[in-house]
Amino acid sequence: MKRVIAICLFLVMILGLVACSSKTIGSVSGAENEYITIDSAKYVLDTANSFSSADKGKYLGKVSNSALTMKVYSVKGDTEGKYIYALWDWEGAFYIKQE
């Protein structure tokens, strides 16, 4: 029984380390967090697209500013790589790359 508890505690610690160690890949800016910058690419909030939260793809990392951290995902069905999906708290939004 002690061995099972020890293994469970170990697994919980490992999962916690993995969850907290995601890399910061960029920043959030703008009065309403309408801009995300990743490397030299700038994305702007886009509410006029045909995607839904079900189109959330692969986890890319996190972006943040002094008040907010967002998890960033690729977008399924975006063959050109123009969109990202950002998720914070229980809300999410799509951003499109500015050319």
Side-chain angles (χ1 to χ4, degrees), residues 12-88:
V12 168
M13 288 182 358
I14 295 297
L15 289 174
L17 288 173
V18 169
C20 294
S21 68
S22 64
K23 61 183 176 180
T24 300
I25 60 171
S27 62
V28 181
S29 61
E32 298 291 325
N33 302 314
E34 64 265 26
Y35 301 105
I36 292 178
T37 305
I38 300 173
D39 295 327
S40 60
K42 192 165 192 173
Y43 296 83
V44 64
L45 182 65
D46 179 33
T47 57
N49 61 67
S50 60
F51 297 113
S52 75
S53 60
D55 296 314
K56 178 177 79 171
K58 180 182 170 189
Y59 177 71
L60 302 174
K62 63 185 178 182
V63 294
S64 64
N65 61 22
S66 61
L68 177 70
T69 298
M70 298 177 173
K71 294 178 181 177
V72 178
Y73 299 85
S74 63
V75 177
K76 295 177 188 173
D78 174 25
T79 57
E80 298 176 32
K82 293 171 61 174
Y83 287 92
I84 57 173
Y85 180 71
L87 182 64
W88 64 101

